[in-house]
Amino acid sequence: MLGFKIERAAAPIWMRSLIPVIAILVTFILTATLVIMAGANPLEAYRYFLIAPLSSQVSALEVLVKSTPLLLTGASVAFAFAAGYWNIGSEGQLYAGAIAAAWLGIILEGVPSVVAIPLMLVGGFAAGVLWALPPALLKVKLAVDEVVTTLLLNSVILFIVSALLNGPWRDPVSGWPQSPEIAASTVFPRLIPRSRLHLGFIVALLTIAALWFILSRTALGLKMRAAGLGQEAARFAGVNVENTILTAALVSGGIAGLAGVGEVAGIHFHLIEAISPGYGYTGIIIATLGGLHAVGVGLAAIFIGLIDTGAQTVSRALGVPVYLGDVVQATLLLVTLGLFILQNYRIKRA
Amino acid sequence: MHAIQMRGITKRFGPVVANDHINFDLEQGEIHALLGENGAGKTTLMRILYGLYHADEGEIRVDGEVVHIASPKDAIRLGIGMVTQHFALVPTLSVAENVVLGYTDGFRVEPQAAQQRVAEAAARFGIEVDPAALVRHLSVGERQRVEILKALYRNARILILDEPTAVLVPQEVEVLFETLERLRQGGLSVIFISHKLYEVMTVCDRITVLRDGRVVGTVDKEATSQAELARMMVGRETFGVTRQDGRPQGPVLLRIENLSALDQKGLPALKEVTLEVRAGEILGVAGVSGNGQTELSHVLAGTLKPTEGRVLVGNEDLTGADPARISAAGVGRIPEDRHEGVIGELSVAENLALEYLDEFVKGGRLDHRRIRQHAERLIAEYQIKASPTDRTRTLSGGNMQKVILARALSRNPRVVIASQPTRGLDVGATEYVRSKLLEQRDRGAAVLLLSEDLDEVLALSDRIAVIYEGRIVDVLPASEADVEQLGLMMSGAREGTSARV
Ligand SMILES: Nc1ncnc2c1ncn2[C@@H]1O[C@H](COP(=O)(O)OP(=O)(O)O)[C@@H](O)[C@H]1O
Ligand SMILES: [Mg+2]
C-alpha cells in the first residue's frame, strides 16, 4: 500500500481565490525552460511580458485595445458555461457579427452615427444569435453534443467569409480579399485621441457589468447557474432547463457577435479573413481563468491582453518568437484547469 | 467436505457494521444461496472472499487451509471466481479476447488460438457463446455467460454470482439456472446471491439468510418454505408503533390510474399501477429496491413522462405535467436521492427559493432580501443547522434533507410524495423526518410514502401497497399487514398472494 490516500474534499475558500495567482506562477516556472531554449533570460522576458506594456501610456492603451474583443468573447463563453452549455463556437459567432457589421457598414451609408452605430451593434448581436441557434436547438431538442456542433460551425463560417471576400464582397478598389470600407458614420468613435481605443471598449465593459448583473441579480441568472451546477435538481425544482440553456446559448452567441462588430467598426473598418486570431478560443481560457465570474473574466481578459501585447514587445526586444505568447497562454489554461480539478481533492496519510 | 469456511468475518465501513461476525460454509458441489434484503451485507461478504475488501476480523479457509486473500489474484489462484453486479468486460473486444484477457502466458494474444481454446472451454462447460462475437453486440444475458465462462476458464471451482438474475429477463433466468445445475453436476460449487425467494427455492440446495450484517441461519431447501425464509429475512415480531384505527378519511386527493413508464434503459419498469391516496392518510409503498419505485416517484415528480395512464391531484389532470406545474398544483415532493433535490454548489437560501422563484422577483430583479428572510424563517422552523449563505453541499445529510423537507412542506401541499425520505440519515434526523410526515397527514394532506425500509412503511402507513416488478401486488390496511405476508409479496413469492383491491 502507498501509505497515502486521495479523497474528495473541497479546498478552503482562501485557497480557491489564490488559484489564478498560483496558476500564473506555475505557468511561468513551466515556460521558463522554453524561454531559455529560445535564448533569452526568463526574468527579463517576464518583465517585458508583464511590466513593459504598462510603462507607457501608448502601450497601456494598446493593452486595452487588445482586451476589448477578449472581454466580449470571455463574457460570451462565461455566459454559456455558467448554464452548463459548452459553447466552443464564440469564434464563429464573432465572425457572424463581423459579417453583419461589414454589411451594415455599407448599407447604412448616409445614416447619422447616433442611429447607425446602435444598428451596427444590434445587427451584430442578432447575427451572433442566429449563428448560435442551430447547435443550441440541436442541443435542447435532440441532445446533440454542443461541443462538436459549435466547434464545427467555426470552420463553416470561415469558409463563408472566404467565399464572400473572394467573391461578391471583394474590394473593387484594391482587389484584395477584403470587403469595401465601411461608411464613416458607422465607424466607432475613438475614446482617446491618438490611440486605437474605441467605443467597443465601453460596450465590452458594459457587457461585463451585464454579465455580473444577470448572473447574480436576476431570476434568469439563478436558473442558469442552477442548470449549470445541477441539471437534474434544477429540473426537479421546476426550472425549465431547456429554455434556460437555449437563452444562455443564444445570448452567448450575441455577445460574441458584438466582439466581431467591434473589430470591424473599431479597428479594421472592413471584413478580412484574419479578423480574429482566435479571440473566441481565447475566450474559453479567459472564462475558465476568471472562474465564470464577471470580475474574474474582466481581469483575466485584461491579463491576457497584457500578455498578448507583451509577447510582441518580448519578441522585438529579445528576439524570441511571438508564438511564445501563445505557449504561455496555452500552458496557463492547462495549469488552471488542472488546479480547478485538483482543488477538489486532498492527499491524506492512510 | 467444505470448499469454503468463513469464520467470524467482521467488516466495518465507518460506523456501519456491514458484516458482523459472520460464519458461512460452502460445501463441495452445492449451490448455496445468500439471501437478504438490500444492505444486509451479502455483497460485502463476497467481496471479502474475492479479495476486493479485507475483513477487519475473522478467517477464511479454502479446502480446510487458512488462507490470506489480499486481492482477486489470490482468489483466482485459489479457484474462486466472481461475477459482480456490474460486468467487467471490454465491449470493443471479442468474447475470446475478453475471456483470455489477463490470463495469457505471453504478452501477445493469438486471436486464432484464443478463439480455439475459448470455444473448447465453452463446449466443455456447456456455455453457449460465440467466441468471435464482439461483446458490445451481446445481450445482457450473453454477457453474463461470458463472465461465467471467464471465471471457469481461470479454473474456478467456486463461483460467486452477485444477484445474477437482477439484470435478466425471465427466459434468460431459465437458461442461467440450467447452466448452473449442469455445472454443479460437474463438481462446481456456487454461491448465489439473491433477495428473490422463489429463485432461491428453485435453484439452491442450502440457504443462508443475512440480516443487518448478521447470519440469521442456514437452512436446507427441503426443510424450509418461502414463508419461513421471508420471516427470517425481514424478521420482525412487532411493528413498534401503535396506530389508532378508524381515523377520519377525507376525499381522494391523489389518484394514479393504470400508470406505466419505462426505465432509463427503455425497459418497462412501471406496469399499470393504480393507487388512491385520501386526505389525511399515509399510503406506504413497500418493495425491494429496483421494482419500479424510482420510476413511480419520477413520474409523480414530473421528471419522467409516463407511457400510459393518468395522474390526478384533486380534479386536476397532471399526467405528464412538468415539475413546475406539479409543484404549483400543491404537490410537495421529496426525491429519492437528495442530490436530485438540491444543488450542492448553490446556497441554502437559493435552493429554498428555487422552486418558487417567481415569488422572489421584484421589477425584474431577484429580491435577495426576501430570499434571505424566507430562508431564515425555514431554517428556524425546520431546525436546519446552517446559515442561508452556506453552500448546500457543506451540510450533513440530515440537514440537507431538512432543506428539501422545508421546501416541499412549507407551503402546506395537498399531496406529499416522499421517496426514501430517511435513507442514509442518522436516528435523530430519521425521527424528525417521520414526525414531519405524520404532521402533514394530521393536517389533512394525502401522503404517498415510497420506502425500502419495511419498518418505516409499517410505522407510518395507514394502508400499505406492495410493489414487485413494477406492479402493485396488493393493497391492505396496515392493521391487517402481516410482516411475513409482506415479505413474501415483496420477494415475488408465487404462492399465497391474493390480489385484492
Ligand atoms: N464501500 C463501502 N463504503 C461504505 N459503506 C459500504 C460500502 N459497501 C457497503 N457498504 C455498506 O455496508 C452495508 C452492506 O452493504 P452490501 O454488502 O452492499 O449489502 P447487500 O449486498 O446485502 O445489499 C450497507 O449498509 C452499505 O451501505
Ligand atoms: Mg449487493
Side-chain angles (χ1 to χ4, degrees):
Chain A
M1 289 279 109
L2 283 168
F4 289 97
K5 72 177 177 198
I6 295 171
E7 60 177 31
R8 256 193 96 95
I13 269 289
W14 62 266
M15 202 189 271
R16 291 153 152 268
S17 44
L18 273 181
I19 282 184
V21 180
I22 300 172
I24 289 164
L25 286 178
V26 172
T27 301
F28 282 168
I29 293 166
L30 288 177
T31 48
T33 338
L34 291 174
V35 177
I36 293 168
M37 279 166 64
N41 174 346
L43 284 179
E44 184 92 338
Y46 296 138
R47 197 173 64 78
Y48 278 110
F49 257 130
L50 298 179
I51 318 255
L54 300 177
S55 56
S56 83
Q57 199 203 355
V58 176
S59 59
L61 288 174
E62 196 55 26
V63 169
L64 297 186
V65 172
K66 276 250 181 258
S67 306
T68 300
L70 297 175
L71 285 164
L72 287 164
T73 54
S76 159
V77 173
F79 204 79
F81 280 19
Y85 181 83
W86 307 111
N87 180 18
I88 313 295
S90 295
E91 179 77 2
Q93 291 141 16
L94 179 153
Y95 271 93
I99 293 174
W103 178 66
L104 287 169
I106 302 297
I107 65 162
L108 291 176
E109 170 102 63
V111 178
S113 285
V114 276
V115 181
I117 286 175
L119 281 179
M120 294 278 278
L121 290 170
V122 170
F125 190 92
V129 168
L130 211 63
W131 197 249
L133 186 64
L137 282 178
L138 284 171
K139 167 73 174 183
V140 299
K141 299 287 178 208
L142 299 173
V144 178
D145 189 351
E146 73 276 19
V147 173
V148 177
T149 49
T150 54
L151 181 65
L152 290 180
L153 280 183
N154 290 346
S155 329
V156 173
I157 202 156
L158 274 176
F159 283 118
I160 293 177
V161 168
S162 176
L164 282 174
L165 297 184
N166 290 296
W169 284 14
R170 188 191 284 266
D171 188 355
V173 181
S174 68
W176 293 106
Q178 61 184 36
S179 69
E181 193 139 316
I182 57 172
S185 64
T186 61
V187 169
F188 281 1
R190 292 276 144 91
L191 298 179
I192 293 171
R194 283 195 309 280
S195 86
R196 297 202 298 161
L197 196 64
H198 56 85
L199 180 71
F201 182 65
I202 302 290
V203 173
L205 289 184
L206 290 176
T207 304
I208 292 285
L211 173 72
W212 170 81
F213 180 77
I214 292 175
L215 281 185
S216 67
R217 287 290 178 271
T218 67
L220 171 66
L222 181 51
K223 286 180 192 171
M224 280 169 51
R225 285 185 291 131
L229 295 168
Q231 205 181 98
E232 289 314 307
R235 187 170 285 128
F236 180 89
V239 174
N240 188 331
V241 172
E242 280 68 34
N243 279 355
T244 305
I245 290 180
L246 189 64
T247 309
L250 297 185
V251 172
S252 164
I255 297 174
L258 291 179
V261 177
E263 291 309 283
V264 170
I267 303 287
H268 298 284
F269 314 121
H270 48 230
L271 181 63
I272 54 171
E273 279 188 53
I275 198 110
S276 161
Y279 291 135
Y281 300 110
T282 311
I284 300 171
I285 304 184
I286 291 165
T288 311
L289 197 60
L292 306 186
H293 195 279
V295 177
V297 170
L299 292 176
I302 291 173
F303 178 71
I304 300 280
L306 175 67
I307 295 187
D308 265 359
T309 317
Q312 280 160 17
T313 327
V314 178
S315 76
R316 232 180 298 118
L318 301 179
V320 299
V322 186
Y323 302 117
L324 210 52
D326 297 343
V327 174
V328 172
Q329 271 184 39
T331 312
L332 187 60
L333 174 68
L334 290 175
V335 171
T336 311
L337 289 179
L339 287 175
F340 269 113
I341 294 168
L342 288 179
Q343 67 159 344
N344 288 318
Y345 296 88
R346 70 168 171 230
I347 297 174
K348 258 183 62 171
R349 229 178 272 277
Chain B
M1 176 66 194
H2 291 307
I4 300 280
Q5 291 165 288
M6 299 179 86
R7 287 281 165 273
I9 300 290
T10 297
K11 176 73 187 174
R12 295 183 195 86
F13 293 107
V16 177
V17 187
N19 285 170
D20 188 358
H21 296 94
I22 288 190
N23 295 328
F24 174 79
D25 293 335
L26 177 69
E27 272 174 34
Q28 204 81 59
E30 73 166 341
I31 300 182
H32 193 141
L34 213 46
L35 182 70
E37 288 186 299
N38 289 309
K42 310 178 294 287
T43 299
T44 303
L45 185 67
M46 288 303 112
R47 290 179 76 100
I48 289 171
L49 181 56
Y50 194 58
L52 288 165
Y53 290 157
H54 303 127
D56 299 326
E57 288 170 41
E59 70 172 28
I60 301 175
R61 288 168 189 262
V62 176
D63 298 329
E65 305 251 334
V66 176
V67 294
H68 176 69
I69 303 175
S71 72
K73 252 202 170 78
D74 293 342
I76 291 167
R77 199 169 36 75
L78 291 163
I80 301 170
M82 180 161 176
V83 178
T84 52
Q85 279 166 296
H86 306 283
F87 301 153
L89 297 173
V90 185
T92 48
L93 293 184
S94 73
V95 169
E97 285 166 326
N98 266 285
V99 170
V100 302
L101 199 66
Y103 198 70
T104 40
D105 304 328
F107 181 67
R108 278 160 51 83
V109 177
E110 300 284 348
Q112 290 304 322
Q115 269 183 31
Q116 185 65 34
R117 269 179 289 142
V118 170
E120 279 167 23
R124 181 151 41 94
F125 298 118
I127 292 176
E128 223 175 280
V129 284
D130 171 10
L134 291 185
V135 164
R136 70 187 157 97
H137 294 148
L138 302 184
S139 73
V140 176
E142 289 168 322
R143 287 180 199 210
Q144 189 175 62
R145 290 206 282 281
V146 177
E147 282 280 14
I148 294 175
L149 183 60
K150 200 165 107 185
L152 297 175
Y153 187 82
R154 285 157 172 66
N155 299 316
R157 296 169 297 119
I158 295 146
L159 183 63
I160 306 165
L161 299 170
D162 194 351
E163 304 211 12
T165 60
V167 293
L168 301 183
V169 298
Q171 299 85 312
E172 289 174 328
V173 172
E174 291 301 316
V175 176
L176 173 68
F177 285 1
E178 283 163 23
T179 308
L180 289 183
E181 183 53 36
R182 202 169 36 244
L183 291 170
R184 187 180 69 88
Q185 279 162 15
L188 189 75
S189 317
V190 178
I191 303 173
F192 182 94
I193 301 185
S194 178
H195 51 235
K196 295 186 181 163
L197 295 175
Y198 74 89
E199 284 181 6
V200 162
M201 290 297 279
T202 308
V203 76
C204 298
D205 304 303
R206 289 198 303 157
I207 298 136
T208 292
V209 182
L210 293 190
R211 188 173 72 224
D212 296 336
R214 296 204 190 94
V215 174
V216 182
T218 301
V219 289
D220 283 343
K221 174 171 74 180
E222 313 301 337
T224 188
S225 64
Q226 293 196 15
E228 187 189 20
L229 289 177
R231 194 164 44 232
M232 290 170 76
M233 202 166 120
V234 183
R236 293 163 188 86
E237 300 307 323
T238 59
F239 300 158
V241 227
T242 46
R243 232 176 282 95
Q244 72 272 50
D245 268 331
R247 283 183 316 97
Q249 295 273 304
V252 174
L253 288 184
L254 174 65
R255 196 187 296 274
I256 300 167
E257 290 171 3
N258 281 319
L259 199 65
S260 299
L262 305 178
D263 66 12
Q264 280 185 330
K265 296 190 207 120
L267 300 173
L270 210 55
K271 299 162 192 163
E272 294 166 6
V273 167
T274 296
L275 289 170
E276 282 181 357
V277 194
R278 292 178 171 275
E281 77 162 349
I282 297 183
L283 175 66
V285 178
V288 177
S289 80
N291 277 292
Q293 297 97 317
T294 305
E295 289 76 14
L296 181 56
S297 75
H298 281 171
V299 169
L300 295 177
T303 50
L304 177 66
K305 301 273 173 266
T307 51
E308 252 179 276
R310 296 210 301 161
V311 178
L312 291 131
V313 169
N315 294 323
E316 205 174 338
D317 190 338
L318 290 179
T319 313
D322 61 23
R325 231 188 99 205
I326 291 177
S327 169
V331 180
R333 302 155 303 142
I334 298 162
E336 183 174 285
D337 177 352
R338 279 190 279 288
H339 301 279
E340 263 169 47
V342 288
I343 297 165
E345 293 295 327
L346 291 186
S347 72
V348 171
E350 287 171 326
N351 270 300
L352 284 170
L354 199 56
E355 195 170 331
Y356 318 102
L357 217 47
D358 295 344
E359 296 172 24
F360 296 99
V361 178
K362 202 171 67 183
R365 303 178 44 166
L366 278 181
D367 188 341
H368 279 286
R369 228 188 54 188
R370 288 246 323 279
I371 289 177
R372 195 190 165 88
Q373 286 167 351
H374 174 250
E376 278 164 355
R377 184 169 63 73
L378 292 184
I379 283 173
E381 195 177 319
Y382 285 81
Q383 302 161 25
I384 303 167
K385 289 199 188 64
S387 87
T389 52
D390 285 347
R391 283 195 199 210
T392 309
R393 75 175 157 75
T394 62
L395 272 56
S396 71
N399 282 306
M400 217 185 265
Q401 189 72 338
K402 284 181 182 177
V403 170
I404 291 174
L405 217 56
R407 196 173 75 190
L409 304 182
S410 63
R411 318 231 146 181
N412 295 334
R414 286 190 283 174
V415 170
V416 176
I417 313 287
S419 288
Q420 320 297 347
T422 62
R423 179 144 80 189
L425 300 187
D426 62 35
V427 183
T430 299
E431 278 308 303
Y432 184 82
V433 171
R434 290 182 182 169
S435 72
K436 281 288 169 191
L437 291 178
L438 291 172
E439 206 176 285
Q440 292 297 311
R441 177 203 66 187
D442 294 339
R443 186 178 60 74
V447 181
L448 183 73
L449 168 69
L450 297 149
S451 179
E452 283 154 25
D453 181 345
L454 195 50
D455 278 330
E456 176 161 287
V457 171
L458 286 165
L460 299 179
S461 309
D462 299 285
R463 291 187 300 137
I464 297 174
V466 177
I467 193 166
Y468 179 72
E469 298 198 331
R471 290 181 203 283
I472 299 298
V473 183
D474 203 353
V475 184
L476 57 162
S479 54
E480 286 176 26
D482 164 345
V483 184
E484 191 175 306
Q485 176 94 359
L486 287 176
L488 278 171
M489 292 193 286
M490 283 164 56
S491 341
R494 286 175 176 172
E495 47 164 50
T497 58
S498 64
R500 264 185 298 176
V501 181

